[in-house]
Amino acid sequence: MKYSTKLSDTIHLLAFLCLSDGERMTSARIAESVKTNPAYIRQLMSALKKAGLISSERGQANAALTRPADQITMLDIYRAVEGDKPLLHLDIHTNPECGVGVNIQLSIADFYREVQDVAEKKMQEITLQDIMERYYEKIETITHK
């Protein structure tokens, strides 16, 4: 099973925009760092633009944040690229004739919702600025070793 990396890839992309210091960032350059293709980066950028988190002009390498990094939450970013998709997923392919198969999924669903609520609350507290500050801390730690 493949897990979605859209959130981490999108945060990676946004970090490039934060670090660009006015330099034009092409989807090809970002894609090289993410180890993906430029079309995927453009797809993520389109979702960010649609969510109002970045501005950009078609065919131009000049994407920019629409608000300060301390006003963009991890939940904003997640919603932009994943929509309302839950973090955890039930196995909906269990045998409907089996009482365990049906009822265990219903039981798990209650707990998954609790986990989702806690995760969303925490994601709402983490800003892109927090992530960038942690990034700088990691760089600092590495350079002082």
Side-chain angles (χ1 to χ4, degrees), residues 11-21 25 29-30 33:
I11 292 171
H12 189 150
L13 179 166
L14 290 169
F16 259 97
L17 297 184
C18 288
L19 296 167
S20 70
D21 199 29
M25 283 292 148
R29 183 169 177 198
I30 297 168
S33 179

Side-chain angles (χ1 to χ4, degrees), residues 11 14-15 17 22 24 28 31-33 36 53 56 66 68 78 85 107 109 111 116 120 124-125 127 129 131:
I11 292 171
L14 290 169
L17 297 184
R24 292 179 176 258
E32 185 178 314
S33 179
T36 190
L53 299 179
S56 66
T66 57
Y78 182 82
K85 184 191 287 185
S107 299
F111 291 107
Q116 184 76 30
E120 286 183 12
Q124 187 66 37
E125 296 170 3
T127 67
Q129 183 64 40
I131 295 167

